[in-house]
Every structure is written in structure tokens, then in C-alpha cells.
Amino acid sequence: MSSPTTVSTVTADGRETAGAPQPDVPAGVPRVLARCRDLVRPSLSAAIGRLHPWPGEMAAFSLGWCEVGGAPADGSYEGKGLRQTLAVLCAEAVGAPGESAVPGAVAVELVHTFSLLHDDIMDGDGTRRQRETVWKAYGTGPAVLAGDALFALAVQTLAETPGPQGTAAVGRLSGTLSDLVRGQAEDLLFAGRPWTGPGAVRTDEYRSMAELKTGTLLGCSAALGALLGGAPARTVATLDRAGRHLGVAFQAVDDLLGIWGDPAVTGKPVYSDLRQRKKTYPVLAALGGDGPRSGELAALLNSPLPLDGDGAVRAAALVEACGGRAATLDEARRHLDAARACLRSVPLVPRAAREIEALLGFLLHRRV
């Protein structure tokens, strides 16, 4: 069941809420996220404590636990913990205690943090969650080192999990890491391709990249929870597919927020992705038409002049007028529906399944 939730900003689905109640935002999701974070946090903290103190501090900074220098943070910079939550809920969904998924939840959170550290360097992003990124705060070399440390620690965490599930979990995580690298490589290569013409990035190519870069880790989160919970192979594979669909939807919402998100919430300038001329789903979908507005948008994107001020406002208006915003929201909804279909195709514990489905709906309306 849902209850009204007040949201005073532009939601990812494009609605101006201005404090209006949003009855379709599932109730209880923040409590589920907090419950799963609290379950995983001691083991995650212990894992970070095994690192050398310097990269350990950078890791804690990235997780929102401390300030530069190691002083405790107030908690406002912590992420949602989506991946660790998904691992715990999928273990519970196959009838196992959430504790069984903790090694997998720790591993995916470490990999996610590692990927953010390196992504911020590659993308040149100076802020995340309303404060400096690790490379800005500590330097590029130290941030790379901290990312490498987290990568190694994630594999070590699963390798030390006793029983045959631990060995299978390491194999699954290794495949996920390979997919992440492939997805990031494609994303970087997209930047050098033209906006229009035969070499332009197509929306189906972008979707494939998003599944690798974002979906594969969410799929791994779900699969590890089920695997460590003792689920049969078919259930593990199906939950992996559900997570991958969720990842594509998550990336679509991210793309909406990258253009229309509230800077006070995202910590990035309004029209941030447009200003940086990132090839995101809304822009690619908008350029897919052949009308005059698509041509005007292409001309703006190809211009050597900075895309800021009135230019960014006009570009955002053209993306919306050409259907890019609506197409991206449709993309997110399609993949959330596909994720739900996966969940309903295997036997799951009803309460945990409902919590996972509520989490899917929550992501469509998230602000950051």
C-alpha cells in the first residue's frame, strides 16, 4: 500500500511537484533501505577497517562516513544503499535470513564505491552528493589507489565466505567486474562519436551500455543475495535479470536528473549533463527525429561555444519538445515492468517480494 509523500522539487518522471502529495511513491521504502543498511553496516565498516588507513579514509569519505581528515560526517552524504538492500531482500525473498546475504552486500557496495571513484575521475566530475568527489578532495592518484583497494577488498570479502556458495559468488562477481569495464569503455567511446549521421550513438547501443555499466551490478546484487541464500540456479538467474532491468531503468532516471534534477538535491548545476554535452538517453532519443527542432538541437550540441545560460535552457526545451524526456520515462517504466515480470515468474516469499517491488516504484520517483 502507498501513502502520500510530500516532494517539493522536480521528480525524475518530470512532474513539478511544488510540495504536492505523490500518492504513487511507495510508503515504507526508506525504512527498508535503512533496515538493510543497518544490517550490513557493521560488516562493511569492518571491511573498510582492513584497508591501509589512508585509502581507508578515502573510502569512508566516499561512503559519506567522514570528512577529509577523518572527522565523522553527519550522515547527510550517505547514499541510499540500493545495491546492498537488493542483496538482503533477495536473500529474504528466497526464504533465507537477510544475514546470509551480508558478504555479498558488502562486496557489491565496495564495487559500487570503487566504480564511483574511478567514474568521477574519468568524467571529470568534481561533486557528488553535494560535496567534493574523492579525486577533488584528495587528488587523482590517491583516488585511483583507493578505488583499486576497494576492488581487491570486494573480491577478498567473497573469497573468504565459507562453503560452495562463496566460490560461486566470487565467479559471479568476477563476471560482473568484466561487464562493468566493458560498459565504462563503451560510455567513454560514445563521447568521441558524432551527434548525428551514420556514426551517431543509437538508443539501443546506449541501452546495452547502461545494462553493462549500471544493470550488471544491480543484477549481481540480486543474484548474490539469492545465491548466498541457497536459491536454485533458475531463481538466481531470474533475479539477476530483474536487477539488470532495474539498472537500465535506474540509468534512465539518472539521465533525467542529469538534465532536470534540482541542483539543491543533486549537487550539480541545472542542465548539468547538457552543459557537459553527455550522450544520455533523453538527448539521443530527441535527436532520433528528423524535424527542425531535432536539427536545431544538433546544431547547439555541435557548436564550439559553451552550452550554458540561455543555450542550456534552449537545449533542454528542445530535448523535451522532441520527445526525449517522455521517451526516457517510458524507457524506465518498460524496464521496471520487465523487472516486475521477472520477480513474478519465480516463487518468492511474499513480504520480501512486495518490498522489492515497492523499491522498484520508489526509484522512478527518486530525486537523486
Side-chain angles (χ1 to χ4, degrees):
M1 295 294 291
S2 299
S3 61
T5 302
T6 299
V7 181
S8 55
T9 184
V10 179
T11 58
D13 59 0
R15 293 173 297 174
E16 298 283 351
T17 65
Q22 299 300 310
D24 48 357
V25 177
V29 171
R31 289 194 297 274
V32 172
L33 291 167
R35 173 176 71 83
C36 295
R37 281 198 307 268
D38 289 346
L39 176 64
V40 175
R41 177 69 178 265
S43 296
L44 181 58
S45 180
I48 296 296
R50 298 171 66 179
L51 296 174
H52 182 283
W54 191 33
E57 179 189 317
M58 287 182 273
F61 177 87
S62 183
L63 287 162
W65 296 352
C66 75
E67 305 291 351
V68 175
D74 62 9
S76 61
Y77 304 118
E78 289 197 50
K80 294 176 291 299
L82 171 63
R83 290 152 191 84
Q84 55 186 292
T85 295
L86 195 58
V88 171
L89 290 181
C90 284
E92 294 175 347
V94 300
E99 289 81 1
S100 65
V102 167
V106 170
V108 295
E109 193 65 24
L110 293 172
V111 169
H112 177 54
T113 306
F114 135 72
S115 70
L116 295 183
L117 287 176
H118 285 192
D119 282 359
D120 287 339
I121 295 169
M122 288 182 276
D123 295 341
D125 287 338
T127 58
R128 180 178 291 278
R129 298 176 189 146
Q130 300 178 309
R131 66 171 178 170
E132 285 187 317
T133 50
V134 174
W135 73 271
K136 271 288 188 180
Y138 290 88
T140 301
V144 171
L145 177 66
D148 291 345
L150 290 167
F151 180 108
L153 184 59
V155 176
Q156 183 180 7
T157 297
L158 283 185
E160 292 174 352
T161 303
Q165 287 91 350
T167 301
V170 171
R172 185 167 287 274
L173 184 68
S174 298
T176 296
L177 291 167
S178 295
D179 281 349
L180 282 173
V181 172
R182 289 171 62 86
Q184 184 62 37
E186 290 299 323
D187 195 24
L188 290 173
L189 287 170
F190 285 170
R193 291 172 59 177
W195 288 105
T196 57
V201 180
R202 304 186 309 273
T203 54
D204 63 315
E205 291 180 285
Y206 187 87
R207 184 180 302 115
S208 296
M209 179 279 296
E211 180 178 340
L212 290 170
K213 184 179 176 181
T214 307
T216 188
L217 186 55
L218 284 164
C220 182
S221 302
L224 285 178
L227 177 64
L228 294 172
R234 176 176 175 270
T235 300
V236 172
T238 301
L239 291 176
D240 186 305
R241 286 200 304 277
R244 286 172 178 264
H245 282 298
L246 174 58
V248 177
F250 188 96
Q251 185 62 55
V253 173
D254 242 23
D255 289 350
L256 290 168
L257 292 171
I259 298 177
W260 293 285
D262 183 350
V265 179
T266 65
K268 296 181 180 181
V270 66
Y271 311 133
S272 172
D273 283 358
L274 280 175
R275 292 172 185 269
Q276 297 181 55
R277 289 179 166 85
K278 288 186 177 179
K279 291 185 172 69
T280 60
Y281 198 94
V283 179
L284 298 176
L287 290 170
D290 56 3
R293 287 173 173 172
S294 292
E296 183 183 349
L297 175 61
L300 277 174
L301 294 169
N302 283 318
S303 171
L305 299 175
L307 194 59
D308 52 18
D310 291 343
V313 172
R314 180 58 182 162
L318 288 168
V319 171
E320 184 158 15
C322 294
R325 190 171 185 166
T328 305
L329 182 56
D330 286 345
E331 174 81 352
R333 285 174 171 154
R334 280 195 304 274
H335 283 279
L336 288 177
D337 286 344
R340 291 187 183 100
C342 288
L343 293 174
R344 294 167 187 173
S345 71
V346 289
L348 300 175
V349 173
R351 178 178 177 179
R354 286 195 299 270
E355 288 181 326
I356 297 170
E357 291 209 25
L359 192 63
L360 302 185
F362 173 75
L363 291 177
L364 188 63
H365 305 287
R366 68 192 176 91
R367 293 176 290 164
V368 66

